[in-house]
Amino acid sequence: MPLRPIFLALALALALPVGAEPDPRERVELPPPMREHMLANMRDHLLAIETISRALAEGRYGEAADTAEERLGMGAMQAHGGHQMAPYMPEGMRAIEAAMHRAASRLALGARDAEVRGDLAEALGGLAEVMGQCVACHAAYRVH
């Protein structure tokens, strides 16, 4: 018997987790261009969170506030094409998205306050709230 099929079968067996449960997240079907657009938005959200975190850590509170509002806040919903995606998204996913954008606007306000008071608690709480919405969405939904 040739060794290649044996090695292929062994590699596949090792790659699959034993007793793995099927993915429990709700599958969200999107037309391919919308799927790519949504995934690009999510990557940009992650980059924005990294930019905000770094700006807060370095005391650049105004930059953190601007990034939070412009890239994640309520004003960013229109720029991200949320109205075009909404008909394809389950209600719960739309609710999480809206909560994330509202939290980002609160984060921006917290960063502006930190610029005046030097207290990061409100800004960091807003950042945690934004990330919590991201985690909730990724835990509940998968895009295809």
Side-chain angles (χ1 to χ4, degrees), residues 117-133:
R117 295 184 319 213
D119 180 9
L120 285 174
E122 191 176 338
L124 293 176
L127 182 59
E129 203 178 327
V130 168
M131 293 182 72
Q133 295 303 320

Side-chain angles (χ1 to χ4, degrees), residues 13-35:
L14 291 174
L16 298 173
V18 176
E21 296 292 320
D23 192 338
R25 297 174 299 161
E26 182 176 340
R27 185 179 173 116
V28 178
E29 296 290 340
L30 296 173
M34 287 187 169
R35 178 182 178 275

Side-chain angles (χ1 to χ4, degrees), residues 1 3 7 13 20 23 28 31 44 47 52 58 65 71 74 76 78 84 86 99 101 105 109 115 122 131 135 143:
M1 176 173 210
L3 291 179
F7 285 124
D23 192 338
V28 178
D44 185 64
L47 181 58
I52 293 163
E58 294 173 359
R71 303 228 336 249
M74 291 302 291
Q78 183 71 22
Q84 295 169 334
H101 289 294
S105 288
L109 291 173
E115 199 170 28
E122 191 176 338
M131 293 182 72
V135 169
V143 175

Side-chain angles (χ1 to χ4, degrees), residues 37 41 44-45 48 66-83 97 100-102 104-105:
H37 181 75
N41 280 342
D44 185 64
H45 292 164
D66 291 344
T67 301
E69 188 55 47
E70 293 167 9
R71 303 228 336 249
L72 299 174
M74 291 302 291
M77 284 183 80
Q78 183 71 22
H80 289 156
H83 62 286
E97 175 194 26
M100 186 279 294
H101 289 294
R102 284 191 303 274
S105 288

